[in-house]
Amino acid sequence: MLIMRLLLLLAVLGVGGSVILWLLTGNPRFKAWAWKIFRVAVVLLFAFFALFAIERVLVPML
């Protein structure tokens, strides 16, 4: 759980930093980075929650 929190913190900092840099410079590369970081973070979050759901279903069967 600690690792997930750290990854979430890094994703928030990465997206926030990229958006701030995009607003300051107007360079669309930073907006693209923010979007990529956000998509990866959402996919990892869904995968993490899917593992929790699978655990809740499979553990009672044992």
Side-chain angles (χ1 to χ4, degrees), residues 16-36:
S18 294
V19 168
I20 289 171
L21 286 172
W22 170 62
L23 290 172
L24 291 175
T25 64
N27 191 344
R29 180 182 63 188
F30 294 120
K31 186 169 69 169
W33 283 356
W35 180 240
K36 287 178 187 177

Side-chain angles (χ1 to χ4, degrees), residues 3 5-6 8 10 13 15 17-18 26 28 31 34 36-37 39 43 47 51 53-54 56 60-61:
I3 293 172
R5 288 181 187 165
L6 289 174
L8 185 63
L10 287 174
L13 289 174
V15 170
S18 294
K31 186 169 69 169
K36 287 178 187 177
I37 294 169
R39 286 188 307 188
V43 167
L51 289 175
I54 291 169
R56 295 211 40 133
M61 291 182 190

